[in-house]
Amino acid sequence: MAEILKNLPKPKHPNLLVGSDTFDDAGVYKISDEIALIQTTDFFTPVCSDAYDFGQIAAANALSDVYAMGGKPITALNLVMFPDEKIPIEVYIKILQGGSDKVIEAGALIIGGHTITDFPPKYGLAVTGIIHPEKVITNSNAKPGDVLVLAKPIGTGIIIAGKRLNETSEENYLEAIKNMKLLNKKAAEIMQKFNITTATDITGFSFIGHAKNVAEASKVSFVFQSKKIPLLPGAYDLVDLGCIPGAAFRNQKYLEKYCKFKNVDYNIKMLMFDAQTSGGILMCVDPLKVEDILSELRKSCYPNAAVVGEVQNEGRSRIIIV
Ligand code: CO
Ligand code: CO
Ligand code: CO
């Protein structure tokens, strides 16, 4: 996708603070000295069988890009694709109810939307957030010596694949659903409190893919400790059973040229390429602040938040995993 978009004209405007060229999570447009708009959209096909859960997850995922920029969502529009027949209308209502409840939890308002006929169904949001123009958290300011902190565990794609093959236990599945529904709202507030300047959220491009975007935009290299990466319970063992979605292999194929793996366990490697839905925030933290940030993240709603690596000077490999 990035390859195709590269050929389109790049908008340039003095008020455009963040465009698409740094692979950032959302566009940011300054409307006054006090306020910039953050705009983003995301939608996808169901990741789970429960329509209400799916609505909540799709909304949490779409809102996440505003949080990854450090912002506060204010309004959202529903984007819905739903078949005329084949699926009962109650499912449609439950998806929208899930989205609505999640947007209310975020403190924002759904002020409209659009539905077209399509199968399979798809749901998501276009979200507008606000932020002070000088407090925008981007991809491009990671500094050598910064510590890398991940707020949520990874493995949602593999857990979902395992569920489809009847290999994921109910308990592990519910834990993954809970993590996907969890807003990155508190993480954004904690980042602002500690003046974090660089972060992203981990979604479909995988842990390594989104990390690579930040490292590249910041002209640095990231070194990850593979054993420190928090994993959803059960995800590691599912890789042994072959529950690896095609998206993980596609991410691996595209990203491997940026990576250097040193004696990394195969299962963890594949988890690092696994496409995430509504994943956690990866932030670059001044080492002096890291203990305080970790403890705040853990006691708010991210008990698995962990230090996963550090930022180094730009080297031969963009991402090094040990
Ligand atoms: Co994002
Ligand atoms: Co994004
Ligand atoms: Co996105």
Side-chain angles (χ1 to χ4, degrees):
M1 197 62 183
E3 294 297 312
I4 300 163
L5 293 178
K6 189 164 80 180
N7 299 318
L8 294 174
K10 289 236 161 41
K12 280 205 175 2
H13 191 280
N15 292 7
L16 181 64
L17 303 184
V18 180
S20 56
D21 45 336
T22 50
F23 308 107
D24 261 289
D25 297 293
V28 184
Y29 187 91
K30 179 174 159 178
I31 51 174
S32 76
D33 286 345
E34 301 294 312
I35 297 177
L37 292 180
I38 303 174
Q39 295 189 293
T40 180
T41 181
D42 249 313
F43 57 91
F44 44 65
T45 53
V47 293
C48 57
S49 53
D50 184 285
Y52 181 65
D53 279 344
F54 170 55
Q56 292 182 73
I57 290 167
N61 181 76
L63 290 158
S64 177
D65 280 327
V66 171
Y67 294 131
M69 307 299 288
K72 178 180 157 11
I74 52 169
T75 58
L77 303 170
N78 280 321
L79 303 174
V80 198
M81 279 131 264
F82 200 82
D84 271 340
E85 33 208 56
K86 287 190 195 171
I87 302 180
I89 195 72
E90 288 72 35
V91 173
Y92 177 79
I93 295 165
K94 279 192 180 147
I95 292 171
L96 291 186
Q97 188 66 55
S100 168
D101 286 353
K102 208 30 96 174
V103 170
I104 290 169
E105 183 188 331
L109 309 171
I110 291 181
I111 56 171
H114 189 64
T115 301
I116 61 165
T117 305
D118 195 19
F119 181 85
K122 292 153 202 86
Y123 176 62
L125 302 170
V127 186
T128 298
I130 50 170
I131 191 164
H132 191 285
E134 278 150 31
K135 299 277 276 177
V136 181
I137 297 174
T138 68
N139 281 1
S140 45
N141 205 23
K143 295 188 181 60
D146 281 353
V147 175
L148 296 160
V149 171
L150 178 65
K152 288 190 202 177
I154 59 170
T156 65
I158 282 167
I159 295 277
I160 292 164
K163 173 76 177 172
R164 291 193 174 127
L165 298 167
N166 251 321
E167 299 284 1
T168 301
S169 74
E170 190 62 13
E171 190 188 353
N172 290 343
Y173 178 66
L174 292 176
E175 183 64 22
I177 294 284
K178 190 176 102 183
N179 269 280
M180 289 187 279
K181 290 197 285 198
L182 176 62
L183 288 175
N184 284 327
K185 179 174 195 272
K186 284 271 182 247
E189 290 167 4
I190 292 167
M191 289 198 291
Q192 287 299 4
K193 178 175 164 186
F194 286 92
N195 294 312
I196 298 298
T197 61
T198 311
T200 192
D201 61 338
I202 306 300
T203 53
F205 197 29
S206 80
F207 177 85
I208 287 180
H210 292 284
K212 174 244 158 205
N213 282 348
V214 177
E216 192 169 291
S218 298
K219 301 186 177 69
V220 292
S221 290
F222 285 177
V223 183
F224 290 114
Q225 311 283 325
S226 59
K227 293 195 177 74
K228 291 193 178 167
I229 298 185
L231 307 176
L232 283 168
Y236 184 94
D237 292 337
L238 285 170
V239 181
D240 283 334
L241 300 171
C243 299
I244 310 172
F249 292 110
R250 286 193 293 278
N251 284 333
Q252 178 186 25
K253 190 170 172 232
Y254 178 75
L255 291 164
E256 226 162 20
K257 59 181 171 287
Y258 300 100
C259 301
K260 187 178 176 76
F261 288 91
K262 294 180 182 167
N263 298 316
V264 177
D265 180 288
Y266 176 77
N267 293 23
I268 297 180
K269 177 175 169 176
M270 292 319 293
L271 277 153
M272 293 177 84
F273 287 124
D274 183 37
Q276 302 300 290
T277 298
S278 190
I281 292 200
L282 176 68
M283 54 187 96
C284 305
V285 179
D286 177 337
L288 296 173
K289 298 176 186 169
V290 73
E291 281 312 315
D292 291 340
I293 288 189
L294 261 190
S295 87
E296 290 222 15
L297 285 169
R298 286 176 180 160
K299 69 178 189 236
S300 65
C301 46
Y302 314 99
N304 304 103
V307 169
V308 294
E310 62 169 14
V311 181
Q312 290 190 351
N313 285 315
E314 191 168 39
R316 195 172 299 163
S317 301
R318 191 60 76 186
I319 304 285
I320 299 149
I321 304 111
V322 297

